[in-house]
Amino acid sequence: MPSISILPADRVFVLTGAGVSAESGLPTFRASDGLWAGYRIEDVCTPDAWRRDPAGVWAFYSARRAAGQKAQPNPAHFALAGLESQLPGRFFLCTQNVDGLHERAGSTNLVHMHGELAKSRCERECGRPPVEDHAVYASLDEVGHCPCGGRLRPHIVFFGEMPLEMPRIEREIGRATLMIVAGTSGSVYPAASFVHWARAAGARTVYVGPEEPLNAAAFTHVVKGKAGEVLPGLFQVES
Ligand code: NAD
């Protein structure tokens, strides 16, 4: 694949998904059997699961924290951080991933639209901001409470909840001229719509991943391959 030019007038919006962290050893969401690390999503990642079984939800996210703490950023994370440093003020990263691997690779202008594994927040949505929390809880008794009395829950957007930072994300998509999407199956909304919004605003759109996503038809380029192998050489920043 010849490299794709990023021109001086371009503004870049990047969307990443679980596939970008696959080469760091973190399992993707829909690997093959509809399970995520052995769990059914409706048992661990919905508001109903939280109401019914907060201990089970914390057991799942504690295991994700333990795995995330061991994982290291891979060449895909570093390639995106490198691109940001070459495009000061013209690069925005939106990740669906809740791990912190983009930041650990050096990305700074980013949002976690589905939350962050290393934070917790009040289950009552009382208005207090999320707090940093790396704890791996062995039981629900260990989980702290907010000053308002609500139990702390993972700072994760459960299925059926509103993604975070949507006004900022929409603004950035509206002014992007190049959208790069990597490692996401195109099955979780609204993220799967972003490519359509970018196309409607006239942007070029590039997908990187080993399989075509469900929304492949909306991309101007689909580059098949692992993000850690493809992204480091894919873009040429023109001056
Ligand atoms: P998904 O599991 O639905 O899709 C993963 C995609 O990654 C697939 O299309 C697959 O072909 C692709 N892929 C696999 N290996 C790859 C590689 N080496 N390079 C590039 N692509 C690769 O994941 P999704 O679309 O991100 O949606 C899942 C949801 O689950 C997200 O909302 C996310 O918040 C959450 N999630 C996060 C993490 C994480 O933070 N690391 C992990 C799993 C799930």
Side-chain angles (χ1 to χ4, degrees), residues 25-163:
L26 300 180
T28 62
F29 176 52
R30 279 165 225 272
S32 62
D33 49 8
L35 297 181
W36 179 8
Y39 289 79
R40 291 188 323 149
I41 294 312
E42 53 273 36
D43 292 340
V44 290
C45 195
T46 62
D48 185 50
W50 176 252
R51 276 189 296 272
R52 233 182 327 106
D53 181 19
V57 172
W58 264 122
F60 176 73
Y61 282 105
S62 288
R64 302 276 71 70
R65 279 183 180 175
Q69 284 159 12
K70 282 193 221 124
Q72 298 299 326
N74 69 55
H77 298 106
F78 287 114
L80 292 172
L83 207 50
E84 178 177 357
S85 70
Q86 289 180 275
L87 298 167
R90 301 193 280 135
F91 181 99
F92 182 81
L93 172 59
C94 172
T95 186
Q96 298 170 86
N97 294 345
V98 298
D99 63 52
L101 294 177
H102 283 302
E103 293 93 317
R104 284 169 52 198
S107 289
T108 55
N109 195 25
L110 85 166
V111 297
H112 283 273
M113 68 178 289
H114 291 160
E116 292 172 74
L117 209 41
K119 292 183 180 174
S120 298
R121 69 168 191 262
C122 179
E123 64 176 346
R124 292 184 185 162
E125 309 290 352
C126 71
R128 287 182 178 80
V131 292
E132 197 167 318
D133 182 5
H134 300 272
V136 172
Y137 297 114
S139 85
L140 198 57
D141 297 338
E142 295 176 7
V143 177
H145 287 75
C146 177
C148 81
R151 181 180 278 136
L152 290 181
R153 59 166 269 182
H155 181 47
I156 298 287
V157 176
F158 293 147
F159 283 90
E161 294 181 329
M162 184 67 94

Side-chain angles (χ1 to χ4, degrees), residues 16-23 26-31 36 96-99 114 117 159 182-188 207-213 225-228:
T16 62
V20 162
S21 294
E23 290 158 84
L26 300 180
T28 62
F29 176 52
R30 279 165 225 272
W36 179 8
Q96 298 170 86
N97 294 345
V98 298
D99 63 52
H114 291 160
L117 209 41
F159 283 90
T184 174
S185 57
S187 57
V188 177
Y207 181 79
V208 176
E211 303 158 324
E212 287 204 344
K226 293 183 176 180

